[in-house]
Amino acid sequence: MVHARRRYRPRGSPRQAAARELREELGHVVDPEALGPVVATSSGTWSMHGEDFFGHDSYFVLRVHELEVDTSGMDEEERAVTDRFHWWTPSELASATEPVVPGELAPLLERLIGGDLPAEPVVLPWHLPDNL
């Protein structure tokens, strides 16, 4: 599942943002139109360095058979908050002892893997703290 975060100054459509995030954070290049439908959303506020933001995340379906992660497109801030990558199975997500964000991701993933795409995007809980 791919997500796109739109800040109060969005750059492009949610589809374009998701494709850009895939390229920058994972090194995976995909045409925005290749992304499936928006299957979930999440929105809320947070503050960083004294500036307030409102975010609206859109989650898309994208099936890939193989993906080699390339983080060379990450900026310094992204590198500072990323310590590893791990591909999770639905059962691993459901039984994780560490925080998984957004919440309620495991049941949604089970549903999607089973081929049940929601008619309307599922609303997931907001996941960023007010102050970073």
Side-chain angles (χ1 to χ4, degrees), residues 44-63:
T45 59
W46 82 97
S47 298
M48 184 168 55
H49 308 299
E51 190 173 359
D52 294 331
F53 295 89
F54 174 81
H56 180 81
D57 294 351
S58 297
Y59 295 82
F60 298 87
V61 171
L62 177 67
R63 294 182 187 268

Side-chain angles (χ1 to χ4, degrees), residues 44-123:
T45 59
W46 82 97
S47 298
M48 184 168 55
H49 308 299
E51 190 173 359
D52 294 331
F53 295 89
F54 174 81
H56 180 81
D57 294 351
S58 297
Y59 295 82
F60 298 87
V61 171
L62 177 67
R63 294 182 187 268
V64 296
H65 296 287
E66 222 175 285
L67 178 64
E68 187 174 325
V69 175
D70 173 4
T71 61
S72 63
M74 284 186 169
D75 63 28
E76 287 181 36
E77 189 173 303
E78 291 165 333
R79 288 178 206 272
V81 298
T82 303
D83 61 359
R84 65 187 167 93
F85 284 90
H86 177 80
W87 301 117
W88 297 74
T89 65
S91 61
E92 286 176 324
L93 280 175
S95 63
T97 56
E98 62 188 284
V100 174
V101 294
E104 301 175 27
L105 190 57
L108 176 60
L109 185 57
E110 288 272 4
R111 181 176 171 182
L112 297 173
I113 289 171
D116 181 15
L117 297 178
E120 295 291 323
V122 173
V123 177

